[in-house]
Amino acid sequence: MRLRAGLVVAAMAAAMVGALGVPAQAAAAGWTYIGVYTSKYKCVDAGQMWVREGFNEYECSGSATYWELWVR
């Protein structure tokens, strides 16, 4: 039983490490949709955060009621 629990913990740790590498890999694949924001200020703020995390650029597109964030 302890062996099985150890394997489960190791698999979870490996999955978490793999998830941390996704943004850098996704940056090479083209534009990635992140989500919708209620103001342009919030969209730009989130876009700048994604650029600090490893993406090259961001774009906020939308209107007065919502803004979509795309990164690459």
Side-chain angles (χ1 to χ4, degrees):
M1 197 57 128
R2 287 184 182 177
L3 178 62
R4 185 179 312 174
L7 290 174
V8 169
V9 170
M12 288 172 44
M16 288 173 33
V17 169
L20 293 175
V22 171
Q25 294 167 352
W31 288 101
T32 302
Y33 175 75
I34 299 297
V36 175
Y37 295 87
T38 56
S39 70
K40 186 172 184 178
Y41 173 80
K42 291 178 182 178
C43 184
V44 168
D45 189 41
Q48 291 172 348
M49 185 271 309
W50 282 99
V51 168
R52 286 191 302 270
E53 293 296 323
F55 284 90
N56 294 325
E57 61 182 310
Y58 70 92
E59 182 171 325
C60 293
S61 60
S63 63
T65 57
Y66 74 95
W67 295 87
E68 294 180 343
L69 175 60
W70 296 83
V71 295
R72 70 171 171 180

